[in-house]
Amino acid sequence: MKFREIVSRLEKIEILRRLRFYELAKQVGVYHGQMPILEYVIEHDGCTQKQIADALMVTPASIATSTKRMQKSGLITKKVDENNLRNNTVSATETGTALSEKWSKAMAGYDERMQTGFSEEELTQLLGYLDRLIANIECC
């Protein structure tokens, strides 16, 4: 069945991308799960750990562990929220922001390589097909 072949290829793309993701994380000196956290914090300066957990769909305990490591590494700072002493607000440091920029450049190069040989029109078509696949399974 052709559809199974399509799904298999999508899974292979995800596996290869994830492997590259782990490799790049190692090269820049972070744990693989820290980059999505750092990117979220940069985009949502002063967010709480709960907001990060909700956005990334992981447990608050997982975020607490990661942010503790990231704070020790100098990537982020945590500050007790003056309005709610049980909340910590999280911000990226200059080091964290610089690392994120380095990461973004490396990933952009990888993304560029992935789309080599495709026209804008072909990429737009592919995006439309993938959106339809997603819409078909989101409702159920």
Side-chain angles (χ1 to χ4, degrees):
M1 172 188 252
K2 290 272 185 224
F3 189 73
R4 287 213 180 274
E5 292 176 34
I6 292 167
V7 170
S8 176
R9 302 283 195 311
L10 290 172
E11 289 171 344
K12 185 171 184 173
I13 290 168
E14 175 57 22
I15 289 167
L16 291 171
R17 188 167 170 79
R18 188 173 300 146
L19 287 172
R20 180 65 179 150
F21 184 85
Y22 290 146
E23 186 180 298
L24 284 173
K26 192 176 181 179
Q27 286 175 11
V28 298
V30 296
Y31 292 98
H32 65 273
Q34 291 177 342
M35 287 313 302
I37 296 169
L38 184 58
E39 289 175 343
Y40 183 87
V41 169
I42 289 169
E43 290 175 21
H44 303 90
D45 186 48
C47 61
T48 65
Q49 292 180 176
K50 175 146 179 31
Q51 290 169 329
I52 299 168
D54 290 346
L56 300 180
M57 295 183 278
V58 296
T59 66
S62 171
I63 294 300
T65 300
S66 292
T67 56
K68 192 179 293 185
R69 284 184 183 150
M70 293 170 74
Q71 190 176 18
K72 282 183 184 178
S73 299
L75 302 176
I76 62 167
T77 59
K78 286 196 237 180
K79 187 169 68 173
V80 175
D81 185 347
E82 294 172 8
N83 299 322
N84 183 347
L85 299 177
R86 291 185 295 165
N87 279 342
N88 288 318
T89 59
V90 183
S91 297
T93 63
E94 285 184 27
T95 302
T97 301
L99 185 110
S100 177
E101 289 170 5
K102 181 178 176 182
W103 172 264
S104 293
K105 285 179 186 173
M107 286 304 291
Y110 184 72
D111 289 344
E112 188 67 34
R113 182 173 161 208
M114 265 185 79
Q115 58 187 317
T116 299
F118 288 93
S119 69
E120 262 320 295
E121 184 179 320
E122 289 171 322
L123 291 171
T124 300
Q125 278 184 312
L126 178 59
L127 183 61
Y129 297 146
L130 295 173
D131 284 344
R132 285 192 349 220
L133 287 170
I134 290 167
N136 288 343
I137 60 173
E138 273 184 334
C139 66
C140 305

